[in-house]
């Protein structure tokens, strides 16, 4: 294997460090290392032609659409994404206000502005509010089981269903209203699947669920696009640090690799790319998504990962959440409408879906957020999680547009509702270097698996230290699935290297 030339060549100028992946974790790590004099030999290898990873803003509909991360969750002083975005002046005045930063949402999605039923009649606000309060009350109760040894059931889904079944038994209303209540609850289950990035809440472990930490602050968006943030970080790096279109195939470690241009020097790691290029290094920070790691576990590391780490990767959850944007000539919703909920009246969280996906996939859609109008363009953004979301990825734009037009005509009771002008959607499960949306703590795993994944290699300390370090959202025990978790994890691993190479350095961590 021949090694590649470029910026990081040469010896005697400090350790050679490679970052695999140019999402916010990788960029954050690179920015921190670049600012330290001990790391002049740094490269980021990014598989695709762009930086940002799951932060992906595209021009569309006369404005910017977010195909990946949407909000800063908990925009307040403890959130480094908020702090950076504020520093780079990427946020609106109102989102920076003290009042916004202090608002506590509990991490719950706001109430819908309107709830359309599948019979074409709107569901009463009173009933929706009652079910939202029941559902989110139960979600809050799941925290009681954190660290508990005697959880009643393994998953969040089973717990919610057990409690709902009990309460439903004493609902005083007629059969039809009780069915409608369950259908509304089913819609909240769909929302929670999007939040957790899972097919079913039955897959999400109950005991560690409360370990995910919600920061204060009213979730906010980036008026110019989330990617402005990663673009700013990228612009702060020396020009040739990031190498695009360089998918890494295998990380060889615990070796003694040489290169022709660095006579006498040996490197414990050699990163081999899909195009055959090889980069020797002292340290590699791996930030690839958990979905990619799961798929390539058998070939991505040589020698293979220790059993405990490989097992943690297999056990941890990684699912799909996608967005479908629909552009309309004219809005059919009220001017103050923010969130349109869709309730399928024949569904219930207490009954399993048995029909084929192609007949029912759209029933998993939570409904639509109304995006702010850009120059009189009117856009709805639907969210859909799980296997139905993955199935949606296999359909053509025309099929998706047709199905959702039929859904909207049906739920609004308006058979003449004009079809959307265009559709744009994400396909995170098909993306070869992502393979899904974000991680969750699955039944059979715990927060210890997240820590296990984050543990650098080798673990015994006998060999060259910190050969492979792990960052990325899935490695943050309390902020997994978020951009701030990803950024903190990148900083954490950069600081780990800085502490090794410059023990006197003053580090701002710990990055918990
Ligand atoms: C639809 C959706 C909505 C979301 N909404 C929010 C939200 O509102 N708020 C929030 O905080 N978070 C949200 N997230 C999650 C957030 O986007 C991620 O947690 C975060 O961006 C992950 O950053 P990362 O650096 O860990 O991974 P990534 O951004 O995935 O970066 C990893 C990089 O590694 C590259 N890569 C993969 N394999 C290789 C390889 N073999 N060689 C080289 N490079 C490779 C990839 O191309 C990618 O650029 C959302 C995610 C999705 C998908």
């Amino acid at each position: 294997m021949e090694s590649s030339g470029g910026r990081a060549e040469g010896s005697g100028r400090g350790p050679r460090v490679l970052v695999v992946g140019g999402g916010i974790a990788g960029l954050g790590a690179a920015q921190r290392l670049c600012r330290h004099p001990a790391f002049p030999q740094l490269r980021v290898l990014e598989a695709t032609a762009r930086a940002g990873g799951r932060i992906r803003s595209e021009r569309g509909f006369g404005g910017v659409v977010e195909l990946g991360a949407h909000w800063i969750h908990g925009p307040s002083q403890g959130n480094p994404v908020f702090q950076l975005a504020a520093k780079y002046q990427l946020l609106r005045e109102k989102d920076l206000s003290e009042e916004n930063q202090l608002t506590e949402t509990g991490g719950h999605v706001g109430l819908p502005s309107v709830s359309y039923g599948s019979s074409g009649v709107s569901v009463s606000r009173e009933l929706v509010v009652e079910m939202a309060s029941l559902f989110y009350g139960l979600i809050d109760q799941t925290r009681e089981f954190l660290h508990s040894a005697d959880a009643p059931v393994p998953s969040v889904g089973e717990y919610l269903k057990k409690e709902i079944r009990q309460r439903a038994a004493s609902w005083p209303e007629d059969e039809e209203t009780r069915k409608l209540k369950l259908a509304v609850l089913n819609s909240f289950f769909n929302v929670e699947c999007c939040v957790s990035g899972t097919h079913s809440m039955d897959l999400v472990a109950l005991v560690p669920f409360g370990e995910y930490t919600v920061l204060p602050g009213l979730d906010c968006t980036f008026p110019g696009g989330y990617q402005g943030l990663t673009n700013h970080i990228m612009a702060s790096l020396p020009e040739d640090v990031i190498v695009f279109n360089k998918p890494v195939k295998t990380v060889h470690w615990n070796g003694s690799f040489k290169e022709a241009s660095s006579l006498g020097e040996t490197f414990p790691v050699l990163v081999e790319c899909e195009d055959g290029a090889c980069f020797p290094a002292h340290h590699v920070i791996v930030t690839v998504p958990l979905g990619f790691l799961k798929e390539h576990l058998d070939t991505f590391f040589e020698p293979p990962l220790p059993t405990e780490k490989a097992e943690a990767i297999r056990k941890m959850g990684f699912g799909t959440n996608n967005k479908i944007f629909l552009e309309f000539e004219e809005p059919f919703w009220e001017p103050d409408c923010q969130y349109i909920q869709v309730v399928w009246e024949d569904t219930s969280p207490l009954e399993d879906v048995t029909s084929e996906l192609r007949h029912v996939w759209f029933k998993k859609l939570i409904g639509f957020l109304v995006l702010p109008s850009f120059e009189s363009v009117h856009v709805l953004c639907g969210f859909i999680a799980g296997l139905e979301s993955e199935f949606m990825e296999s359909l053509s734009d025309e099929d998706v547009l047709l199905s959702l037009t039929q859904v909207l005509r049906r739920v609004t009771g308006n058979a003449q509702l004009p079809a959307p002008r265009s559709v744009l959607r994400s396909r995170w499960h098909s993306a070869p270097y992502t393979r899904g949306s974000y991680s969750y703590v699955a039944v059979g795993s715990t927060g210890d698996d997240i820590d296990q994944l984050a543990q650098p290699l080798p673990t015994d300390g006998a060999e060259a230290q910190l050969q492979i370090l792990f960052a990325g959202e899935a490695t943050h025990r309390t902020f997994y699935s978020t951009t701030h978790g990803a950024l903190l994890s990148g900083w954490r691993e950069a600081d780990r290297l800085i502490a090794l190479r410059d023990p006197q350095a003053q580090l701002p961590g710990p990055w918990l």
Side-chain angles (χ1 to χ4, degrees), residues 260-283:
S261 57
S262 312
L263 278 181
E265 193 167 11
T266 59
F267 302 86
V269 190
L270 185 79
V271 170
E272 180 190 354
C273 296
E274 278 178 19
D275 64 5
C278 287
F279 297 83
H282 297 98
H283 310 287

Side-chain angles (χ1 to χ4, degrees), residues 406-418:
Q406 284 166 352
V407 167
L408 286 170
R409 285 181 179 160
R410 177 170 173 174
V411 301
T412 57
N414 176 4
Q416 309 307 321
L417 190 86

Side-chain angles (χ1 to χ4, degrees), residues 209-291:
F209 190 59
E211 209 161 359
Y212 175 86
T213 304
V214 176
L215 293 169
L218 203 55
D219 289 4
C220 67
T221 57
F222 289 73
Y226 222 123
Q227 212 176 294
L229 179 70
T230 41
N231 288 347
H232 262 86
I233 303 179
M234 194 169 61
S236 75
L237 302 175
E239 211 175 288
D240 53 355
V241 163
I242 306 191
V243 189
F244 291 104
N245 300 309
K246 268 289 178 225
V248 169
K249 186 174 155 207
T250 304
V251 178
H252 302 265
W253 60 293
N254 255 351
S256 184
F257 302 99
K258 294 189 177 22
E259 70 177 349
S261 57
S262 312
L263 278 181
E265 193 167 11
T266 59
F267 302 86
V269 190
L270 185 79
V271 170
E272 180 190 354
C273 296
E274 278 178 19
D275 64 5
C278 287
F279 297 83
H282 297 98
H283 310 287
V284 177
I285 304 181
V286 172
T287 75
V288 302
L290 179 61

Side-chain angles (χ1 to χ4, degrees), residues 287-413:
T287 75
V288 302
L290 179 61
F292 178 91
L293 272 187
K294 279 177 180 284
E295 188 173 47
H296 298 277
L297 194 51
D298 294 341
T299 52
F300 200 65
F301 299 97
E302 182 51 46
L305 294 179
T307 318
E308 323 78 73
K309 196 187 276 280
E311 214 24 56
I313 291 171
R314 282 194 198 97
K315 286 194 296 189
M316 289 164 68
F318 195 79
T320 304
N321 176 26
N322 274 308
K323 300 181 188 178
I324 309 176
F325 298 91
L326 298 176
E327 181 201 9
F328 291 83
E329 205 92 45
E330 293 296 332
F332 63 84
W333 51 92
E334 297 295 322
D336 58 349
C337 178
Q338 293 183 344
Y339 166 22
I340 299 169
Q341 182 182 39
V342 173
V343 176
W344 289 93
E345 292 165 35
D346 57 347
T347 61
S348 159
L350 307 181
E351 285 163 26
D352 291 331
V353 180
T354 49
S355 316
E356 275 183 63
L357 282 179
R358 68 195 164 98
H359 299 306
V360 292
W361 68 268
F362 44 82
K363 293 191 182 181
K364 193 67 168 279
L365 197 84
I366 66 160
F368 302 90
L369 291 190
V370 179
L371 297 192
S373 296
F374 330 107
E375 295 165 15
S376 73
V377 180
H378 309 285
V379 183
L380 295 182
C381 173
F383 287 77
I384 181 166
L387 294 175
E388 291 82 352
S389 191
E390 291 167 18
F391 177 78
M392 179 278 295
E393 292 189 23
S394 71
L395 298 174
S396 67
D397 279 353
E398 292 70 32
D399 283 343
V400 171
L401 193 132
L402 185 66
S403 294
L404 295 190
T405 302
Q406 284 166 352
V407 167
L408 286 170
R409 285 181 179 160
R410 177 170 173 174
V411 301
T412 57

Side-chain angles (χ1 to χ4, degrees), residues 196-199 317-321 386 390 429 435-440:
S196 285
T198 184
H199 173 62
F318 195 79
T320 304
N321 176 26
E390 291 167 18
H429 185 255
R435 306 298 278 142
S437 298
Y438 35 86
S439 61
Y440 61 92

Side-chain angles (χ1 to χ4, degrees), residues 154-159 161 189 193 196-206 208-209 315-320 364 386-387 390 439-445:
S155 73
V156 174
E158 286 157 289
Y159 173 72
K161 289 189 284 188
F189 270 79
C193 285
S196 285
T198 184
H199 173 62
S200 160
M201 293 309 289
D202 290 2
L203 301 174
V204 180
L206 176 60
F209 190 59
K315 286 194 296 189
M316 289 164 68
F318 195 79
T320 304
K364 193 67 168 279
L387 294 175
E390 291 167 18
S439 61
Y440 61 92
V441 183
V443 170
S445 70

Side-chain angles (χ1 to χ4, degrees), residues 118-191:
S118 49
S119 60
V121 179
S122 299
V123 183
S124 88
R125 175 125 190 113
E126 200 188 349
L127 191 144
V128 172
V129 170
E130 185 192 336
M131 289 305 100
S133 134
L134 166 60
F135 186 81
Y136 289 113
L138 292 175
I139 286 278
D140 288 342
Q141 273 182 35
T142 59
R143 284 189 183 275
E144 285 170 19
F145 301 106
L146 184 58
H147 308 307
S148 135
D150 54 354
V153 286
S155 73
V156 174
E158 286 157 289
Y159 173 72
L160 295 173
K161 289 189 284 188
K162 182 171 84 60
E163 294 293 315
I164 288 169
R165 202 172 278 115
Q166 256 176 28
R167 285 165 171 77
S170 54
W171 283 341
E173 295 92 347
D174 56 76
E175 182 63 21
E176 203 181 319
T177 310
R178 286 159 51 167
K179 269 191 83 179
L180 187 58
K181 281 182 155 184
L182 288 171
V184 171
L185 284 170
N186 198 65
S187 181
F188 289 123
F189 270 79
N190 290 346
V191 172

